[in-house]
Amino acid sequence: MILKPHYLVLLACAAIPVTLTAHNWPEFRGPTGQGHAEATSLPTTFSQTERVKWRTELPGEGWSSPVIFNNQIWMTTALDDGKSLRALCVDKNNGKLLHNIELFSVEAPEFKHTLNSYASPTPVLEKGRAYFSFGNYGNAAIDTDTGKIAWKSQVLSLGHEVGPGSSPILHNDFFILHCDGTNSQYIAALHKKNGNLAWKTERSVSLENTPTSMRKAYSIPLVITVDGRQEMLSPAAEHLYAYDPATGKELWQVRYPGFSNVPRPLFAHGLVFVCTGFMKPELWAVKPGGNGDMTSDAVVWKYPKQTPSMSSPIIVGDYLFMVSDSGIVTCLDARNGKEQFQERIGGDYSASPIHANGKIYFFSQQGKITVLKSNPTFEILAQNDMPEGFMASPAVSGNSFYLRTKKALYRVE
């Protein structure tokens, strides 16, 4: 089987149950993990020179998204074709590069796809700590006050085939990571204090009769609460799983046709929204809160057209917005899946959209930024251009964008 390349990049991200604040953006897609910013005056029009407070050239190559805590912005990068895997820290106020710390030295990096990087997983932050994953190459934590490495761990292994993918999340005392590779598929938690293994749960459905290239997934878990029970949503190849985040015990599962899943799930209106992954992505709305195999009972609706295999959808009020890999934006009624509009905005998309103050921003690989009104009717407010292009998703602090292009980090306001 020949696989199209563009599903492989993972810009995905993590979710932490923290209070939404206007200044911290501690995980992929913000404090809620679902792409919403409290900002009231983000710019609608901007460029690589217009409304730019500072620009910082970044060493190496990395598609991880910027994350922010207080005045520090953390990212990852890879130097020397993946032989040096590093953490970067930039001062939020002036763009100065504060730290460039090697976390792992790799003698012979494995193959990666051209749309991927060796530093694609997004870090996750909390007060005093930054946490990083490079998949099979290792996981690590840094003391953000001193810049010293707190711990490194290489107890989690998997076959990437095309490079590292899933981003970690933090939940209570745990650092949690998907490990869905060609040779093994599981989810695991490390103690965030020291990196020791806390629990490890193998995917319950065997994929041994599935081609190795169709066993992978790159998504990130999302912890939700349903009727007082915490459920950790975990998209994998061929299945959406839900686990108890405290123990790793499987709660329920739903089977779908797909693999190499990148978009992270959403939760709204009492429903979980999941993209089923490559070959022909679909969007499914699933009712959580069950037990065991829920495939025949929990699927509320399906949408089969122009679903992304890389960019994550976003929900604003009653409406779900998503952009396909090839630049077609769709708006659905999140409650029933009814299509409101479907329009082409152009470009190729890996980065996930962001919503603020009634506007949704889409960032293409070619550097086109389309700003839509977050209404169920198609209305373009602006189209901007930053030709360096985007693989990473945006971050917001206050009323400023922090945008990582393929070359640099920008503060735009």
Side-chain angles (χ1 to χ4, degrees):
M1 179 178 294
I2 298 175
L3 303 182
K4 290 164 62 178
H6 58 247
Y7 76 95
L8 298 167
V9 171
L10 31 115
L11 283 253
C13 25
I16 315 171
V18 298
T19 303
L20 184 67
T21 66
H23 295 285
N24 291 333
W25 194 267
E27 56 175 313
F28 179 82
R29 306 203 80 192
T32 66
Q34 302 201 38
H36 292 270
E38 281 191 328
T40 57
S41 58
L42 288 176
T44 303
T45 59
F46 52 91
S47 68
Q48 286 182 188
T49 56
E50 180 188 10
R51 296 197 169 93
V52 174
K53 182 169 182 178
W54 51 254
R55 176 188 184 273
T56 299
E57 192 93 9
L58 299 176
E61 180 186 73
W63 304 154
S64 64
S65 300
V67 287
I68 304 169
F69 205 95
N70 293 334
N71 291 322
Q72 293 183 339
I73 306 169
W74 288 88
M75 297 160 287
T76 57
T77 193
L79 275 60
D80 195 16
D81 295 323
K83 292 182 179 179
S84 180
L85 304 178
R86 310 181 76 89
L88 303 177
C89 180
V90 172
D91 188 301
K92 185 179 77 172
N93 296 314
N94 56 31
K96 180 182 178 182
L97 184 61
L98 301 175
H99 298 294
N100 183 348
I101 304 164
E102 184 176 77
L103 294 175
F104 296 99
S105 176
V106 182
E107 182 176 343
E110 299 172 353
F111 169 82
K112 72 165 182 65
H113 196 275
T114 54
L115 278 179
N116 199 2
S117 76
Y118 288 106
S120 290
T122 295
V124 59
L125 307 179
E126 64 179 357
K127 184 178 180 180
R129 280 282 179 98
Y131 301 85
F132 305 87
S133 179
F134 295 92
N136 192 54
Y137 301 114
N139 302 287
I142 287 176
D143 184 312
T144 56
D145 294 327
T146 65
K148 295 186 181 299
I149 297 172
W151 55 259
K152 295 198 292 185
S153 171
Q154 293 180 301
V155 300
L156 304 180
S157 63
L158 69 155
H160 292 308
E161 188 177 67
V162 293
S166 298
S167 304
I169 70 167
L170 299 180
H171 184 74
N172 294 335
D173 294 329
F174 296 143
F175 166 106
I176 301 175
L177 185 69
H178 284 170
C179 298
D180 291 294
T182 57
N183 57 347
S184 58
Q185 302 83 41
Y186 60 93
I187 185 168
L190 304 180
H191 290 285
K192 67 181 185 181
K193 181 179 179 179
N194 53 28
N196 293 337
L197 184 65
W199 54 255
K200 177 181 177 181
T201 303
E202 302 286 341
R203 302 295 193 186
S204 62
V205 179
S206 172
L207 299 179
E208 63 180 353
N209 295 322
T210 301
T212 56
S213 61
M214 300 173 66
R215 300 175 187 177
K216 304 186 303 295
Y218 306 104
S219 190
I220 287 87
L222 175 71
V223 178
I224 65 174
T225 301
V226 180
D227 295 330
R229 183 177 76 171
Q230 287 192 326
E231 299 184 359
M232 182 168 59
L233 308 171
S234 178
E238 298 186 5
H239 286 79
L240 169 65
Y241 294 92
Y243 300 95
D244 180 344
T247 64
K249 178 184 176 182
E250 183 182 316
L251 302 174
W252 53 266
Q253 59 172 267
V254 167
R255 185 179 181 90
Y256 49 57
F259 62 97
S260 289
N261 319 70
V262 175
R264 65 157 305 142
L266 298 172
F267 180 57
H269 302 289
L271 298 174
V272 172
F273 302 87
V274 62
C275 299
T276 60
F278 193 77
M279 300 273 287
K280 188 180 184 301
E282 298 180 351
L283 180 74
W284 286 24
V286 174
K287 188 172 179 59
N291 293 283
D293 187 346
M294 297 293 294
T295 305
S296 61
D297 301 321
V299 181
V300 177
W301 57 260
K302 304 176 185 178
Y303 186 80
K305 301 184 300 179
Q306 300 300 334
T307 297
S309 62
M310 290 189 288
S311 172
S312 303
I314 192 165
I315 293 176
V316 183
D318 292 336
Y319 300 100
L320 182 147
F321 301 82
M322 59 186 179
V323 61
S324 70
D325 297 359
S326 58
I328 296 176
V329 172
T330 302
C331 175
L332 306 175
D333 189 317
R335 298 163 296 183
N336 53 34
K338 183 178 179 181
E339 183 181 311
Q340 306 300 302
F341 67 75
Q342 190 167 86
E343 300 284 348
R344 182 178 296 276
I345 60 173
D348 302 302
Y349 290 81
S350 297
S352 296
I354 192 169
H355 168 261
N357 199 32
K359 303 171 187 176
I360 303 176
Y361 298 77
F362 298 89
F363 297 79
S364 81
Q365 294 178 20
Q366 293 78 20
K368 183 178 183 180
I369 304 110
T370 300
V371 187
L372 297 185
K373 201 165 186 177
S374 57
N375 288 341
T377 53
F378 183 70
E379 182 179 348
I380 293 179
L381 299 176
Q383 288 189 311
N384 307 304
D385 191 28
M386 297 181 71
E388 290 174 9
F390 297 92
M391 303 300 287
S393 298
V396 174
S397 179
N399 283 304
S400 299
F401 269 127
Y402 295 85
L403 306 178
R404 184 180 193 175
T405 67
K406 297 174 185 177
K407 295 182 178 181
L409 182 69
Y410 289 79
R411 176 171 173 170
V412 178
E413 57 190 30

Coordinates of all heavy atoms in Angstrom, one line a residue, residues 74-104:
W74 N 8.5 28.1 25.6 CA 9.3 26.9 25.4 C 8.9 26.2 24.1 O 7.7 26.1 23.7 CB 9.2 25.9 26.5 CG 9.9 26.4 27.8 CD1 9.3 27.2 28.8 CD2 11.2 26.1 28.2 NE1 10.3 27.4 29.7 CE2 11.4 26.7 29.4 CE3 12.2 25.3 27.6 CZ2 12.7 26.7 30.1 CZ3 13.4 25.3 28.3 CH2 13.7 25.9 29.5
M75 N 9.9 25.6 23.4 CA 9.7 24.8 22.1 C 10.8 23.8 22.1 O 11.6 23.7 23.0 CB 9.8 25.7 20.9 CG 8.7 26.8 20.8 SD 9.2 28.1 19.7 CE 10.5 29.0 20.7
T76 N 10.7 22.9 21.1 CA 11.8 22.0 20.8 C 12.4 22.2 19.4 O 11.7 22.8 18.6 CB 11.4 20.5 21.0 OG1 10.3 20.3 20.1 CG2 10.9 20.2 22.4
T77 N 13.6 21.7 19.2 CA 14.2 21.7 17.9 C 15.2 20.6 17.8 O 15.6 19.9 18.8 CB 14.9 23.1 17.7 OG1 15.2 23.2 16.3 CG2 16.2 23.2 18.5
A78 N 15.6 20.3 16.6 CA 16.5 19.2 16.3 C 17.7 19.8 15.4 O 17.4 20.5 14.4 CB 15.9 18.0 15.6
L79 N 18.9 19.6 15.8 CA 20.0 20.0 15.0 C 20.8 18.8 14.4 O 20.5 17.6 14.9 CB 21.0 20.8 15.9 CG 20.8 22.3 16.1 CD1 19.4 22.6 16.8 CD2 21.9 22.9 17.0
D80 N 21.6 19.0 13.4 CA 22.4 18.0 12.9 C 21.6 16.8 12.4 O 21.9 15.7 12.7 CB 23.5 17.6 13.9 CG 24.7 16.8 13.2 OD1 24.8 16.9 12.0 OD2 25.4 16.2 14.0
D81 N 20.5 17.1 11.7 CA 19.7 16.0 11.1 C 19.2 15.1 12.1 O 19.1 13.9 11.9 CB 20.4 15.3 10.0 CG 20.8 16.1 8.8 OD1 19.9 17.0 8.4 OD2 21.9 16.0 8.2
G82 N 18.8 15.6 13.3 CA 18.2 14.8 14.3 C 19.2 14.2 15.3 O 18.7 13.5 16.3
K83 N 20.4 14.5 15.2 CA 21.4 13.9 16.2 C 21.4 14.7 17.5 O 21.9 14.1 18.5 CB 22.8 13.9 15.6 CG 22.9 13.0 14.4 CD 24.3 12.9 13.8 CE 24.4 12.0 12.7 NZ 25.8 11.9 12.1
S84 N 21.0 15.9 17.5 CA 20.9 16.7 18.8 C 19.5 17.2 19.0 O 19.0 18.1 18.2 CB 21.9 17.9 18.7 OG 21.8 18.6 19.9
L85 N 18.8 16.7 20.0 CA 17.4 17.0 20.3 C 17.4 18.0 21.4 O 17.9 17.6 22.5 CB 16.6 15.7 20.6 CG 16.7 14.7 19.4 CD1 15.9 13.5 19.8 CD2 16.2 15.3 18.1
R86 N 16.8 19.2 21.3 CA 17.0 20.3 22.2 C 15.7 21.0 22.6 O 14.7 20.9 21.9 CB 18.0 21.3 21.5 CG 19.2 20.7 20.9 CD 20.1 21.7 20.3 NE 20.9 22.4 21.3 CZ 22.1 22.0 21.8 NH1 22.6 20.9 21.4 NH2 22.7 22.7 22.7
A87 N 15.8 21.6 23.8 CA 14.7 22.5 24.3 C 15.2 23.9 24.1 O 16.3 24.3 24.4 CB 14.5 22.2 25.7
L88 N 14.3 24.8 23.6 CA 14.5 26.2 23.5 C 13.6 27.0 24.4 O 12.4 26.6 24.5 CB 14.3 26.6 22.0 CG 15.0 25.9 20.9 CD1 14.6 26.5 19.5 CD2 16.5 26.1 21.1
C89 N 14.1 28.0 24.9 CA 13.3 29.0 25.8 C 13.6 30.4 25.3 O 14.7 30.8 25.2 CB 13.6 28.8 27.2 SG 12.7 29.9 28.3
V90 N 12.5 31.1 25.0 CA 12.6 32.5 24.5 C 11.8 33.4 25.5 O 10.8 33.0 26.1 CB 11.9 32.6 23.1 CG1 11.8 34.1 22.7 CG2 12.7 31.8 22.1
D91 N 12.4 34.6 25.8 CA 11.8 35.6 26.6 C 10.5 36.1 25.9 O 10.7 36.7 24.8 CB 12.8 36.7 27.0 CG 12.2 37.7 28.0 OD1 11.2 38.3 27.8 OD2 12.9 37.8 29.1
K92 N 9.4 36.1 26.6 CA 8.2 36.5 25.9 C 8.2 38.0 25.6 O 7.5 38.5 24.7 CB 7.0 36.2 26.9 CG 5.6 36.5 26.3 CD 4.5 36.1 27.2 CE 4.3 37.1 28.3 NZ 3.1 36.9 29.2
N93 N 8.8 38.8 26.4 CA 8.8 40.2 26.3 C 9.7 40.8 25.2 O 9.3 41.7 24.5 CB 9.2 40.9 27.7 CG 8.2 40.6 28.8 OD1 7.0 40.6 28.6 ND2 8.7 40.1 29.9
N94 N 10.9 40.2 25.0 CA 11.8 40.8 24.1 C 12.3 39.8 23.0 O 13.1 40.2 22.1 CB 13.0 41.4 24.8 CG 13.7 40.4 25.7 OD1 13.7 39.2 25.4 ND2 14.3 40.9 26.8
G95 N 11.9 38.6 23.1 CA 12.3 37.6 22.1 C 13.7 37.0 22.2 O 14.2 36.3 21.4
K96 N 14.4 37.4 23.3 CA 15.8 36.9 23.5 C 15.7 35.4 23.8 O 14.9 34.9 24.5 CB 16.4 37.6 24.7 CG 17.8 37.1 25.0 CD 18.4 37.9 26.2 CE 19.8 37.4 26.6 NZ 20.3 38.0 27.8
L97 N 16.7 34.7 23.1 CA 16.8 33.2 23.4 C 17.5 33.0 24.7 O 18.7 33.3 24.8 CB 17.6 32.6 22.2 CG 17.7 31.1 22.3 CD1 16.4 30.4 22.2 CD2 18.6 30.6 21.1
L98 N 16.8 32.5 25.7 CA 17.3 32.3 27.0 C 18.0 31.0 27.2 O 19.0 30.9 27.9 CB 16.2 32.4 28.0 CG 15.4 33.7 28.1 CD1 14.2 33.6 29.0 CD2 16.3 34.9 28.4
H99 N 17.5 29.9 26.6 CA 18.0 28.6 26.8 C 18.0 27.8 25.5 O 17.1 27.9 24.7 CB 17.2 27.8 27.8 CG 17.2 28.3 29.2 ND1 18.4 28.5 30.0 CD2 16.2 28.8 30.0 CE1 18.0 29.0 31.2 NE2 16.7 29.2 31.2
N100 N 19.1 27.1 25.3 CA 19.2 26.1 24.1 C 19.9 24.9 24.7 O 21.1 24.8 24.8 CB 20.0 26.8 23.0 CG 20.1 25.9 21.8 OD1 19.7 24.7 21.8 ND2 20.6 26.4 20.7
I101 N 19.1 23.9 25.2 CA 19.5 22.8 26.0 C 19.4 21.5 25.3 O 18.3 21.1 24.9 CB 18.7 22.8 27.3 CG1 18.7 24.1 28.1 CG2 19.2 21.6 28.2 CD1 17.7 24.3 29.1
E102 N 20.5 20.8 25.1 CA 20.5 19.5 24.5 C 19.9 18.5 25.6 O 20.4 18.4 26.7 CB 21.8 19.0 24.1 CG 21.8 17.7 23.4 CD 23.1 17.2 22.8 OE1 23.9 16.7 23.6 OE2 23.3 17.3 21.6
L103 N 18.8 17.8 25.2 CA 18.2 16.8 26.0 C 18.7 15.4 25.6 O 18.9 14.5 26.5 CB 16.7 16.9 26.0 CG 16.1 18.2 26.6 CD1 14.6 18.3 26.3 CD2 16.4 18.3 28.0
F104 N 18.8 15.1 24.3 CA 19.2 13.8 23.9 C 20.2 13.9 22.7 O 19.9 14.7 21.8 CB 18.0 13.0 23.5 CG 17.1 12.7 24.6 CD1 15.9 13.5 24.8 CD2 17.3 11.7 25.6 CE1 15.1 13.2 25.9 CE2 16.5 11.5 26.6 CZ 15.3 12.2 26.8

